[in-house]
Amino acid sequence: RRYDINEEDRHFVSDFNAFVAGLPGRIPNVRIVPMEGLLGRGDMIEDGVHPVPDTPGAGYDKMAGAWQSAISGQLPTCNTAQQ
């Protein structure tokens, strides 16, 4: 079943997305990783909104790969040799 939102929810989602999009300019070290176009129909469950869980190479795996690419080299590393 495809998930359809009503007009009130559509405004909420639009406002929320605009708020989130502005965070990188207001808060240091905040990154936005675009997910538009990343997932296809086979990556989504029947509602057309949520990614397929527990399917290697689909849904959440693709999202995780996008996040990993975005933050690689941006986080401090641990030097385990100094323990």
Side-chain angles (χ1 to χ4, degrees):
R1 168 174 109 82
R2 181 92 181 145
Y3 181 78
D4 294 312
I5 61 175
N6 62 38
E7 195 62 28
E8 182 180 340
D9 290 343
R10 195 176 322 280
H11 286 289
F12 173 79
V13 170
S14 179
D15 290 348
F16 179 78
N17 288 345
F19 169 77
V20 169
L23 290 176
R26 295 191 308 263
I27 302 174
N29 301 319
V30 170
R31 292 181 165 269
I32 300 295
V33 179
M35 297 290 166
E36 297 87 11
L38 181 68
L39 304 179
R41 287 191 141 188
D43 298 311
M44 308 299 279
I45 62 173
E46 295 81 27
D47 70 0
V49 176
H50 298 96
V52 173
D54 304 324
T55 305
Y60 286 111
D61 278 1
K62 287 183 178 179
M63 293 171 70
W67 275 105
Q68 183 178 14
S69 294
I71 64 173
S72 290
Q74 302 298 315
L75 299 175
T77 57
C78 271
N79 185 348
T80 57
Q82 293 180 354
Q83 291 183 357

